[in-house]
Amino acid sequence: MHKCPTCGVSRYKVKDDECKDDATTDSGRLAKMSWCLPIIPRFKQLFANGQDVKSLTWHIDGRKTDGLLRHPTDFL
């Protein structure tokens, strides 16, 4: 597909010297690109190190409840 089926806009970036209607070749760069990054392997990697776990869970384990605002969630 060279154009969006809904609005008819080209899927590829158009150079300044090209005519906008003729930009239907797929030799150009895509106008928008979506990346899907799996989050579960990243969490496994983050929580594999014990030192990192302490840093990642400080808001549950080590929060001080003395009435001072140190983090936006202390407001609640």
Side-chain angles (χ1 to χ4, degrees), residues 47-74:
F47 283 95
N49 186 353
Q51 194 70 340
D52 291 339
V53 171
K54 289 179 184 177
S55 298
L56 293 170
T57 59
W58 69 269
H59 59 284
I60 293 172
D61 300 333
R63 179 172 290 170
K64 296 180 182 178
T65 56
D66 58 359
L68 297 176
L69 294 176
R70 293 185 175 84
H71 191 268
T73 57
D74 290 340

Side-chain angles (χ1 to χ4, degrees), residues 7-28:
C7 61
V9 176
S10 176
R11 293 182 59 214
Y12 301 97
K13 291 184 180 181
V14 180
K15 294 181 182 177
D16 293 335
D17 57 345
E18 292 180 2
C19 178
K20 293 188 179 192
D21 294 334
D22 296 336
T24 59
T25 62
D26 33 25
S27 62

Side-chain angles (χ1 to χ4, degrees), residues 22-41:
D22 296 336
T24 59
T25 62
D26 33 25
S27 62
R29 298 180 312 195
L30 288 174
K32 292 184 180 179
M33 184 171 288
S34 175
W35 294 93
C36 178
L37 300 174
I39 197 165
I40 300 297

